[in-house]
Amino acid sequence: STGVERARAFRQFMLELGGDLDPELLEECVTYSVDEGARTGRLLLDRARPTAIIAGNDQIAVGLLDVLEERGLRCPEDVSVVGYNDMPFVDK
């Protein structure tokens, strides 16, 4: 599936760059939805304070942005968020 391929590519890219694959910094979504982005964003932010988050798609990224706002964090000043798909509403 696309999700499996994106996760594999992310892990490979991080290893090639010498990035951190600490399980505490990884959270996988079960669907490509705003609600799932919010759910996993809360889990991640409960245990870590990343400076950047890569989301599997733009809807997940929107859910993450909602969680950042509810936690009083700003994007990109506090946490950068990147999504995939380039959906029309994300450039606002």
Side-chain angles (χ1 to χ4, degrees):
S1 78
T2 303
V4 170
E5 184 59 26
R6 287 179 185 178
R8 184 201 59 75
F10 169 78
R11 285 183 173 88
Q12 179 181 338
F13 185 67
M14 290 296 289
L15 289 172
E16 288 173 6
L17 292 176
D20 193 352
L21 284 175
D22 181 346
E24 291 292 307
L25 299 173
L26 299 172
E27 191 64 52
E28 291 190 17
C29 295
V30 295
T31 63
Y32 287 123
S33 70
V34 173
D35 288 341
E36 186 67 359
R39 182 189 73 79
T40 56
R42 286 183 191 101
L43 292 173
L44 178 63
L45 292 173
D46 283 347
R47 67 175 180 265
R49 179 65 190 276
T51 58
I53 300 172
I54 298 175
N57 81 346
D58 291 338
Q59 292 203 30
I60 293 168
V62 169
L64 288 165
L65 292 172
D66 291 343
V67 172
L68 292 179
E69 184 177 352
E70 76 184 30
R71 303 261 174 126
L73 300 169
R74 298 166 300 151
C75 179
E77 293 85 358
D78 300 315
V79 181
S80 298
V81 176
V82 175
Y84 290 92
N85 294 353
D86 199 22
M87 296 175 81
F89 64 85
V90 297
D91 63 350
K92 305 292 184 236

